[in-house]
Amino acid sequence: MRNYDLSPLLRQWIGFDKLASSMQGTQEAVEFPPYNIEKKDDNHYRITLALAGFQQSELAIEVEGPRLTVSGTPTLPEKKVEYLHQGLAFKPFTLSFTLAEHLSVSEAKFELGLLHIDLVREVPAELQPQRIVIGGNRPELTHAPESASDA
C-alpha cells in the first residue's frame, strides 16, 4: 500500500482544520514567498506573507469562488546588480489557497514587508447549530450557546 504526503495540499486549504489534523504528513520545503497561516479561533484566520522588497502597488489579491489568489510582480531595477551573495529572492509569484465554505477576506494590510490577509468565517444564522427544546406543546428552536473562543 502506498502512502501519499498530503501536507502540501492541506497547507493550501484554510478552514479545513479537522481534515488537516486527521491527515498528518511530513513537511516539505517552503516555496516562495514564505508564508504563515495562523488560526486565531474557529472563525478567524490570518495568512502572512514575507515580501521584502515589494511595494504595495506590486501586489494583487483576488477571490474567485473558494479560491484566494495572491500575486506579486516586482519592479526590476534599471541597472543590473552584481551580487556577491544573493540570499533574498525578489521574483514574481502567485500563491493560491482554497477557502472553506463561508470563509471570506475581512481585511488585508501591507506593513513592514509583511502582507497580512485576515479571514473570517460568517455562517448564516439558519445554518448554525440549533438546540431544540424538549417538552411543551410546540417545539421551539434556540441557537446553541457560542463557545468561549467566539467572544
Side-chain angles (χ1 to χ4, degrees):
M1 181 175 170
R2 291 185 180 184
N3 289 331
Y4 294 101
D5 181 14
L6 299 177
S7 59
L9 175 66
L10 295 174
R11 281 197 312 259
Q12 304 297 321
W13 290 5
I14 301 170
F16 292 93
D17 302 325
K18 292 178 184 171
L19 174 65
S21 63
S22 68
M23 305 170 112
Q24 296 293 324
T26 59
Q27 296 280 334
E28 74 173 29
V30 176
E31 55 192 67
F32 181 80
Y35 63 92
N36 291 336
I37 301 174
E38 303 169 41
K39 179 180 178 181
K40 296 180 179 184
D41 59 41
D42 287 342
N43 295 316
H44 297 88
Y45 299 84
R46 173 176 267 191
I47 302 171
T48 301
L49 287 82
L51 298 170
F54 280 83
Q55 296 178 23
Q56 184 171 332
S57 61
E58 300 169 337
L59 303 173
I61 302 171
E62 295 179 6
V63 176
E64 185 176 341
R67 170 91 43 210
L68 169 67
T69 304
V70 182
S71 58
T73 307
T75 305
L76 298 175
E78 296 175 15
K79 194 169 135 182
K80 177 94 170 124
V81 177
E82 181 181 337
Y83 292 101
L84 298 177
H85 171 76
Q86 185 176 8
L88 298 175
F90 192 61
K91 59 186 178 181
F93 72 91
T94 300
L95 277 178
S96 291
F97 302 93
T98 302
L99 303 179
E101 195 173 23
H102 307 297
L103 203 60
S104 61
V105 176
S106 64
E107 183 181 18
K109 294 185 286 189
F110 185 66
E111 52 191 17
L112 302 174
L114 297 174
L115 176 62
H116 301 287
I117 303 170
D118 292 323
L119 306 167
V120 64
R121 181 188 323 268
E122 295 174 345
V123 180
E126 60 272 3
L127 296 178
Q128 292 181 2
Q130 298 179 347
R131 189 164 288 171
I132 300 173
V133 177
I134 301 173
N137 294 338
R138 191 172 141 216
E140 296 179 27
L141 296 178
T142 61
H143 289 289
E146 303 256 340
S147 65
S149 65
D150 292 342

